[in-house]
Amino acid sequence: MEVFSGRPRSPERHPLIGRSRQHRASLLDLRSAAGQVFLLQVVVVVLLVVAAVAAMVLQTASDAVQRGRRESVVAAQSFASAPGTAEALRSRDPTAVLQPRAEEVRKRTGVDFVVAMNTQGIRYTYPYPREIGKKFVGTIAPALKGRTVIEQAGGPPLPAGKGTAVQAVVPVTDSRGKVVGLVSAGITVKNVAALWLPQLPIILGSGAAALALSMTGTTLVARRLRRQTHGLAPAELAQLYEHHDAVLHAVREGVLITGTDGRLLLANDEARRLLDLPADVEGRPVRELGLPEQITRLLTSPEAVTDEVHLAGDRLLAVNKRPTYPQADRGGSVVTLRDTTELAAVSGRAEVARERLKLLYEAGVGIGTTLDVGRTAQELADVAAPQFADLVTVDLLDAVLRGWEPTAEGWRHLRRAAIGGEQRMIPVYPLGEVITFSRRTPQMRTLQERRVILEADLRQAHGWREQDPERARKALECGLRSLATVPLQARNVPLGVVNFYRTVDSPAFQPEDLSFAEELAARAALAIDNARRFTREHAMAVTLQRSLLPRAQPDQDALEVAWRYLPAEVGVGGDWFDVIPLPGARVALVMGDVVGHGLHAAATMGRLRTAVHNFSTLDLPVDEVLGNLDDLVVRMDNEENAGDAAEGHEGEGEGVTGATCLYAVYDPVAGACTMARAGHPEPVIVRPDGTVTCPGVPASTPLGLGGSPFETAELSLPEGSQLVLYTDGLVEDRTHDIDVGMERLRRALDGSGRRTPEETCQAVIDTLKPSHSSDDIALLAARTRIFPPSRVAEWDVPSDPAVVPSVRARCRETLREWGLEEAGFATELILSELITNAIRYGSPPVSVRLLHGRCLISEVADGSGTSPRIRRAATTDEGGRGLFLVAQFAQRWGTRYTTRGKVIWAEQLLHDGTSAAPSQTPVDFLLDQFDDPDA
């Protein structure tokens, strides 16, 4: 109120004040607020006094009755239990004995009567002798049963006079507990006024003091109100407030009043409209209103402002600010806001242009956020609807969605890629449907003519209606009105069309709308074409990458294997893995990662994977395999740099900057695994009991640095252990460190001892797969198997050709135990040739080992490092045909080197216990040359 009325300095500024002082009401004037308040206080005090007196009277009466009940019971029980009372009741003249006693007890205890009676209620005693022998007035039935009765009842006259008679009846029992009579004692409760009258002055005095205090308080409050309202009466004050409020909310200028604590005290309707303030804005801090930063800073600062222009949303506001009390220390400010937007007509056009610019800005920001063609088309539909059109559909060539180059042959068949706006109210072709447009439709015309086609009234658009008459009829019934079809083309290549529809609730498209539609479509087309090109490149890279990765598990007996490969969302990486069977039933596990993304990384990965296969074929130790890979990466780097320098692109090439690799070889016969890693994350081992550990494989430098040795580690793995290999994309993320990822991997693998490798891979992927993967993820889980001793046969062979027949016999016996009699002939032939060569050309010790798994493996080891080679023997040569025979009867054969020499091995595929070697060979005539008397 003070803000509205200001601070009066003279009677002339507020003539109402002088008039109100001349007619100042007193406390006795009930028309004044002070008189009404005082009257209310008087009524309240009187009511309180009356209530206090009534409560005191009732409480005094209740206390008197309770005291009478207690005294009556005590007197009656005392008389009933007195010695001789029971005998007196049985005497011939009870009255003579009991009447003196009763009168004595009555006088001593202060009760009004003590009555002794028989069990029929006939009185033996009473204060007035004439009442003796009459019937007792009261209830005696409960007392005859041994209970005490307390009641209020009337009876014969008593010495105490009138009043409320309270009496108690108690039984009199003999020594055996039998009721022989009754005793009643009573007291008359007289008028209790004498009990509460002494307290009445205190209550009335308190009431008078309260009235005096109320009068004083009302007088002080009335004076305070007169000072606060500058002497205005309530009616005058209400009238003044109504006038100020009407003026405040009627002016077309925003008014804000803020307090010293930064809270908004008042805002008129225009201020709410200009600043989009909520309804409950008053009383809230200014900083919590969500206003623009400039407006918030202006409202909270103490400085005065004159005609400053600030932008609030889409309005330009002229702001003035002054303190509420310029010549006082009290805070607060008054802020006025005036909309300085252009005149109505110019303002409307500027508003449209501003909205179009805003929409184009939103299109530039919101379209093309991803490199997905479908998502980009949907972003175009979402931006245009409902700001520019009520319904937007985007139809793209099928080749564009697939990432291919579009051609004119596919123009008639477009696929619905996106819908935006009121698609639930208007029947349109659903998403994903292939639409065959006729030549007269606006869509086909805009593709052919490469310009915007406007159908201001769809009821007159015959080509549009002929495309699907029934659907067109329903769309018109739903309110569809006009259409603007714009071609989507980038780099002079048509990609599809975008259809802007408006309903009858919106103005029809006008020619001035077409330029904006073309601009919007051009921006979207460029983003769609970029997404199409990326889709093509990504599909090519993914296809190349997947073609270079394993597609099926190889046949082997050592490991039960499962894997997962998840490419990155953007681009492809160089992650790869492999399971390579090795001689001697061993298996090599490979996990690698090429630094970088794209086609170059995928191609490099393919070269490294091929190199690993080649090095594994040579059966090199794990550290030598990594050493050879390191040399290969260095050479590839040098080739890339040399090629860039020759073409004059120094520093711009995509040379290989490095790769990581883990190479492990597992031997199921010994249950041992030898591994080494070049900059790759350490593998994880899950024991059969579910324990998760890291084997502690020494970390070596990544591939491509050159010159660094690679350390190996040999582990003994119990049967059923799981070896988990992975790339860093599984455990590394931008949001957390690799240690956090390793801990999550351990928790995911915890208790996986009884899981299959397939279940282990799925559990790890479900737990660690990121929502948006920026790097490829490769995961391989392998559960170990142990060759049973019953399927392994080995023995030492003396360096004497004469023992060859005995070795063949022992081999034949072993194959008979394994049920492989049909494969005995070929196996004996292979072993004979290999043992003979080892004795003749090798050096001791010579040993033989047979392994029975998916195939039959024959191994002959000796201490020589000389590698045998197969050659074509001339007709005149006496030897040179042994390895030729081995190659004919074995599926494959080869040599691997050990620390003590070499091992020549041969594998025979088995089908139902028979050898899969060729049934006819051109060397049958050579079999007679073997000197075997037992054959």
Side-chain angles (χ1 to χ4, degrees):
M1 296 181 201
E2 295 173 1
V3 174
F4 297 155
S5 59
R7 299 183 63 199
R9 293 183 177 85
S10 64
E12 290 76 14
R13 295 186 61 186
H14 287 280
L16 293 177
I17 296 177
R19 186 169 63 251
S20 63
R21 289 178 177 175
Q22 294 175 2
H23 299 85
R24 186 174 302 165
S26 65
L27 291 178
L28 299 179
D29 187 1
L30 297 181
R31 291 175 299 177
S32 66
Q36 295 172 359
V37 171
F38 179 69
L39 178 61
L40 179 61
Q41 291 175 341
V42 170
V43 172
V44 171
V45 170
V46 171
L47 291 177
L48 290 176
V49 170
V50 172
V53 172
M56 184 178 62
V57 171
L58 293 176
Q59 183 65 34
T60 303
S62 176
D63 292 344
V65 171
Q66 293 296 328
R67 186 170 64 252
R69 291 166 65 93
R70 289 194 301 271
E71 293 177 358
S72 299
V73 172
V74 170
Q77 289 180 347
S78 299
F79 188 82
S81 59
T85 302
E87 289 76 7
L89 288 172
R90 291 180 176 180
S91 64
R92 292 182 179 182
D93 189 2
T95 301
V97 178
L98 296 177
Q99 177 67 11
R101 297 181 183 178
E103 287 301 306
E104 182 182 357
V105 170
R106 180 178 68 82
K107 295 176 181 179
R108 187 172 64 250
T109 59
V111 297
D112 292 331
F113 66 88
V114 176
V115 177
M117 68 194 83
N118 61 10
T119 56
Q120 286 76 33
I122 303 301
R123 302 190 189 101
Y124 290 147
T125 64
Y126 200 77
Y128 297 118
R130 65 177 177 273
E131 300 295 332
I132 296 174
K134 295 181 180 180
K135 187 73 173 179
F136 175 74
V137 180
T139 304
I140 63 174
L144 294 176
K145 297 180 181 180
R147 297 197 298 271
T148 300
V149 179
I150 303 174
E151 60 182 349
Q152 296 179 8
L158 294 172
K162 298 181 180 180
T164 302
V166 179
Q167 63 186 16
V169 182
V170 299
V172 179
T173 59
D174 57 9
S175 59
R176 291 177 295 179
K178 182 180 178 180
V179 178
V180 298
L182 303 173
V183 175
S184 175
I187 189 171
T188 300
V189 180
K190 302 177 182 179
N191 190 357
V192 298
L195 301 176
W196 59 267
L197 283 176
Q199 302 179 15
L200 184 60
I202 298 176
I203 297 176
L204 294 179
S206 300
L211 286 176
L213 184 63
S214 299
M215 181 180 295
T216 303
T218 303
T219 303
L220 295 177
V221 171
R223 292 178 179 177
R224 176 66 176 173
L225 287 176
R226 283 196 298 271
R227 288 197 302 270
Q228 292 293 331
T229 59
H230 302 286
L232 292 175
E236 296 170 339
L237 189 63
Q239 184 180 12
L240 182 64
Y241 174 79
E242 291 174 356
H243 292 168
H244 279 73
D245 189 65
V247 172
L248 181 68
H249 294 287
V251 296
R252 302 306 298 170
E253 186 170 297
V255 178
L256 301 172
I257 299 180
T258 60
T260 57
D261 57 352
R263 294 181 179 271
L264 186 62
L265 302 180
L266 183 141
N268 68 345
D269 296 340
E270 183 67 9
R272 296 174 188 268
R273 185 186 69 84
L274 293 177
L275 298 178
D276 295 328
L277 297 175
D280 58 344
V281 68
E282 294 180 354
R284 294 172 55 184
V286 174
R287 297 188 180 277
E288 298 180 2
L289 301 180
L291 298 175
E293 180 62 28
Q294 292 182 349
I295 301 296
T296 301
R297 185 166 56 250
L298 184 145
L299 293 179
T300 55
S301 65
E303 292 82 6
V305 172
T306 302
D307 289 335
E308 285 190 3
V309 178
H310 293 274
L311 180 64
D314 54 355
R315 297 184 178 92
L316 291 175
L317 302 180
V319 183
N320 289 273
K321 181 180 178 182
R322 294 292 184 274
T324 308
Y325 301 98
Q327 299 178 358
D329 296 333
R330 303 170 65 180
S333 301
V334 177
V335 180
T336 60
L337 308 172
R338 186 173 67 256
D339 191 355
T340 59
T341 317
E342 295 82 1
L343 297 176
V346 178
S347 171
R349 295 177 184 176
E351 182 71 17
V352 173
R354 188 162 49 249
E355 289 295 330
R356 295 290 170 82
L357 290 175
K358 180 180 178 182
L359 186 57
L360 285 178
Y361 172 77
E362 292 178 358
V365 174
I367 300 177
T369 58
T370 65
L371 291 174
D372 180 81
V373 176
R375 177 60 183 166
T376 305
Q378 186 62 50
E379 290 170 348
L380 167 61
D382 293 339
V383 167
Q387 291 92 332
F388 179 67
D390 298 317
L391 174 66
V392 179
T393 61
V394 181
D395 303 323
L396 299 177
L397 301 176
D398 198 55
V400 174
L401 290 170
R402 298 175 182 270
W404 303 342
E405 285 290 338
T407 58
E409 290 77 8
W411 284 4
R412 290 192 60 188
H413 305 285
L414 282 81
R415 188 179 296 274
R416 179 59 47 86
I419 304 175
E422 299 295 334
Q423 66 268 29
R424 289 178 293 181
M425 298 178 57
I426 301 174
V428 295
Y429 290 103
L431 283 175
E433 183 171 342
V434 177
I435 309 171
T436 302
F437 289 103
S438 63
R439 295 187 179 276
R440 296 184 58 188
T441 58
Q443 289 80 5
M444 187 55 59
R445 289 170 54 198
T446 194
L447 277 176
Q448 293 174 343
E449 300 174 14
R450 299 189 180 185
R451 65 179 181 87
V452 182
I453 300 298
L454 174 62
E455 297 288 355
D457 189 354
L458 288 176
R459 292 173 296 181
Q460 309 300 325
H462 301 291
W464 177 79
R465 300 183 65 177
E466 290 175 0
Q467 171 67 26
D468 192 336
E470 182 62 23
R471 193 184 300 271
R473 181 186 64 80
K474 292 181 180 180
L476 292 175
E477 291 177 355
C478 292
L480 213 59
R481 179 175 183 178
S482 60
L483 164 67
T485 301
V486 186
L488 291 171
Q489 54 184 3
R491 303 176 182 89
N492 205 28
V493 176
L495 306 174
V497 296
V498 54
N499 307 298
F500 301 103
Y501 293 93
R502 284 185 180 176
T503 62
V504 293
D505 298 329
S506 303
F509 285 112
Q510 300 299 325
E512 55 266 21
D513 295 324
L514 302 185
S515 58
F516 174 78
E518 285 182 313
E519 178 66 22
L520 188 62
R523 298 193 178 195
L526 186 60
I528 291 175
D529 190 56
N530 289 336
R532 177 191 66 82
R533 291 170 174 265
F534 171 79
T535 300
R536 180 186 61 186
E537 298 294 336
H538 184 71
M540 292 173 57
V542 169
T543 301
L544 172 62
Q545 186 183 41
R546 292 192 179 278
S547 66
L548 297 175
L549 291 174
R551 299 189 179 184
Q553 295 191 16
D555 293 334
Q556 45 86 25
D557 297 312
L559 298 169
E560 181 184 355
V561 182
W563 60 67
R564 292 289 188 277
Y565 183 81
L566 302 178
E569 291 185 355
V570 179
V572 294
D575 295 12
W576 92 92
F577 59 90
D578 232 323
V579 180
I580 306 173
L582 297 178
R586 298 170 304 139
V587 174
L589 299 178
V590 189
M591 183 67 69
D593 186 3
V594 176
V595 177
H597 292 82
L599 287 174
H600 186 270
T604 303
M605 177 268 289
R607 297 175 66 179
L608 295 181
R609 180 171 178 251
T610 302
V612 171
H613 271 272
N614 293 334
F615 298 146
S616 299
T617 302
L618 297 176
D619 210 347
L620 299 176
V622 293
D623 55 339
E624 293 187 20
V625 171
L626 293 182
N628 290 329
L629 281 178
D630 185 44
D631 294 339
L632 176 61
V633 173
V634 171
R635 289 197 302 271
M636 293 167 61
D637 239 340
N638 295 335
E639 291 174 1
E640 291 288 342
N641 295 333
D644 292 337
E647 296 176 6
H649 300 291
E650 185 176 355
E652 299 180 5
E654 293 189 27
V656 178
T657 58
T660 66
C661 183
L662 187 146
Y663 186 76
V665 176
Y666 175 69
D667 186 353
V669 178
C673 182
T674 304
M675 63 181 68
R677 60 189 180 110
H680 201 81
E682 188 174 13
V684 177
I685 294 177
V686 182
R687 301 288 179 178
D689 59 355
T691 304
V692 180
T693 59
C694 290
V697 180
S700 302
T701 59
L703 303 177
L705 299 181
S708 298
F710 297 95
E711 300 183 52
T712 62
E714 185 170 351
L715 310 173
S716 179
L717 300 179
E719 185 173 13
S721 301
Q722 290 197 44
L723 186 62
V724 181
L725 311 181
Y726 53 92
T727 55
D728 56 0
L730 183 69
V731 295
E732 283 188 353
D733 199 309
R734 296 177 181 176
T735 60
H736 59 256
D737 194 31
I738 187 172
D739 294 335
V740 178
M742 289 297 298
E743 183 60 30
R744 293 177 59 197
L745 176 60
R746 291 189 185 95
R747 288 198 300 266
L749 292 173
D750 191 22
S752 299
R754 296 189 177 183
R755 292 177 182 169
T756 64
E758 187 70 26
E759 294 171 345
T760 300
C761 288
Q762 192 60 44
V764 171
I765 292 299
D766 292 342
T767 304
L768 275 73
K769 179 185 177 182
S771 56
H772 299 285
S773 177
S774 59
D775 195 5
D776 293 3
I777 296 175
L779 173 67
L780 186 147
R783 184 159 61 183
T784 61
R785 298 169 179 158
I786 298 295
F787 248 74
S790 60
R791 298 252 177 148
V792 180
E794 55 183 339
W795 53 87
D796 296 331
V797 179
S799 298
D800 185 1
V803 301
V804 174
S806 63
V807 174
R808 291 204 307 270
R810 192 168 181 179
C811 171
R812 186 165 50 250
E813 181 63 27
T814 301
L815 295 180
R816 185 180 300 113
E817 294 175 0
W818 289 346
L820 303 178
E821 294 89 346
E822 297 296 331
F825 176 78
T827 305
E828 291 179 39
L829 177 62
I830 292 173
L831 283 180
S832 296
E833 290 299 329
L834 295 181
I835 294 172
T836 302
N837 285 342
I839 294 174
R840 181 177 301 174
Y841 304 110
S843 59
V846 179
S847 62
V848 175
R849 186 172 71 169
L850 295 178
L851 302 176
H852 178 204
R854 296 173 182 266
C855 59
L856 181 61
I857 303 174
S858 304
E859 296 181 346
V860 176
D862 67 86
S864 172
T866 304
S867 175
R869 296 183 180 180
I870 190 172
R871 63 184 180 87
R872 181 179 295 275
T875 54
T876 58
D877 291 340
E878 296 183 0
R881 297 175 177 84
L883 291 180
F884 178 73
L885 289 174
V886 172
Q888 293 298 316
F889 282 93
Q891 181 69 21
R892 62 184 188 132
W893 72 281
T895 304
R896 75 172 186 270
Y897 295 92
T898 66
T899 56
R900 295 179 295 177
K902 67 176 182 299
V903 177
I904 304 175
W905 53 270
E907 293 183 0
Q908 299 170 255
L909 295 181
L910 300 176
H911 296 287
D912 299 330
T914 62
S915 175
S919 57
Q920 296 179 357
T921 76
V923 293
D924 292 340
F925 67 97
L926 295 176
L927 298 179
D928 296 333
Q929 306 300 319
F930 291 100
D931 185 15
D932 186 0
D934 297 330

